[in-house]
Amino acid sequence: MTPQVVFDKQKLKNPPLQIHYLGERVLRQPAKRVAKVDQKIRQLAQQMLQTMYSADGIGLAAPQVGVNKQIIVIDCEPDNPENLPLILINPVIKSYGSSMCDGQEGCLSIPGVYLDVKRPEAIEVAYKDENGRPKTLKATELLSRVIQHEMDHLNGVMFVDRVQNGLVLTEELQKNGFSVQAVKPIK
Ligand code: CO
């Protein structure tokens, strides 16, 4: 029997992990590959899911909870108990679709800020699941966007680094108490 990650979508008053915010250094450090997917990693992934659900998020990357590992969790339908969450360990994007699209993004590490980001519309990603099995996934639309956003976190990149409208970016960050100095624009 392979142990499964147990999860529920309860919102906890005291989630197991603490989320870090834009401006904190831990968010800018590249994450390390997971050498072995073991029970500790599964437990961490489950705690990340509990923390994500509790904060009303649809994606969370390990650096956001101060853990320097290549792990992301995603659930694009957090209110649907039948939609299983995704756990992606050591994810690598194998290919990008040719078309780009704009979409609004937010981030649990930058609460209150929602801005448009241009990204490739489709991707194919290879990763290991919570049992260490290699998988590939083709994603479009919201799922594709969330995977790309979370994978950026593994490289120390925040979605605001990709926002092209500098005026709106500055305004939104200041309105929500964040410093523009914390942004590292991507050329
Ligand atoms: Co984020």
Side-chain angles (χ1 to χ4, degrees):
M1 279 268 302
T2 315
Q4 297 290 311
V5 169
V6 181
F7 66 92
D8 61 50
K9 300 192 180 182
Q10 264 187 76
K11 297 190 210 306
L12 307 173
K13 231 187 263 168
N14 295 303
L17 303 169
Q18 194 200 324
I19 295 173
H20 294 266
Y21 298 107
L22 179 67
E24 294 186 61
R25 256 186 63 188
V26 67
L27 291 170
R28 293 304 192 175
Q29 285 157 0
K32 296 194 170 85
R33 281 177 60 82
V34 173
K36 187 172 187 291
V37 181
D38 56 15
Q39 191 56 34
K40 270 176 83 174
I41 295 295
R42 280 187 282 276
Q43 192 188 354
L44 171 62
Q46 188 190 345
Q47 291 183 332
M48 286 173 60
L49 280 167
Q50 288 175 322
T51 303
M52 179 189 83
Y53 289 127
S54 302
D56 284 321
I58 58 172
L60 186 70
Q64 291 180 274
V65 291
V67 176
N68 194 25
K69 295 185 194 305
Q70 294 182 11
I71 305 171
I72 66 181
V73 297
I74 293 173
D75 188 343
C76 291
E77 295 180 53
D79 298 323
N80 176 1
E82 288 177 11
N83 187 60
L84 296 183
L86 276 171
I87 297 167
L88 282 70
I89 299 164
N90 301 340
V92 177
I93 294 184
K94 290 300 186 186
S95 64
Y96 291 96
S98 53
S99 59
M100 305 286 286
C101 65
D102 275 310
Q104 197 182 59
E105 297 189 19
C107 181
L108 292 178
S109 295
I110 322 175
V113 175
Y114 298 91
L115 292 162
D116 273 0
V117 180
K118 194 183 284 297
R119 295 190 189 270
E121 200 268 332
I123 55 165
E124 183 171 5
V125 61
Y127 62 98
K128 282 187 172 174
D129 71 9
E130 66 273 21
N131 296 311
R133 296 193 185 102
K135 295 261 173 88
T136 59
L137 173 66
K138 285 181 180 167
T140 60
E141 301 180 3
L142 181 61
L143 180 58
S144 167
R145 180 168 295 278
V146 177
I147 292 172
Q148 292 178 67
H149 173 119
E150 301 309 331
M151 285 184 66
D152 270 353
H153 280 299
L154 302 181
N155 293 314
V157 173
M158 306 291 288
F159 87 93
V160 288
D161 302 346
R162 297 190 182 276
V163 171
Q164 289 172 336
N165 189 331
L167 282 176
V168 174
L169 175 62
T170 302
E171 193 181 313
E172 281 298 301
L173 286 172
Q174 285 175 349
K175 208 165 70 188
N176 289 282
F178 293 100
S179 166
V180 182
Q181 314 302 322
V183 178
K184 298 182 173 178
I186 290 170
K187 289 108 219 164

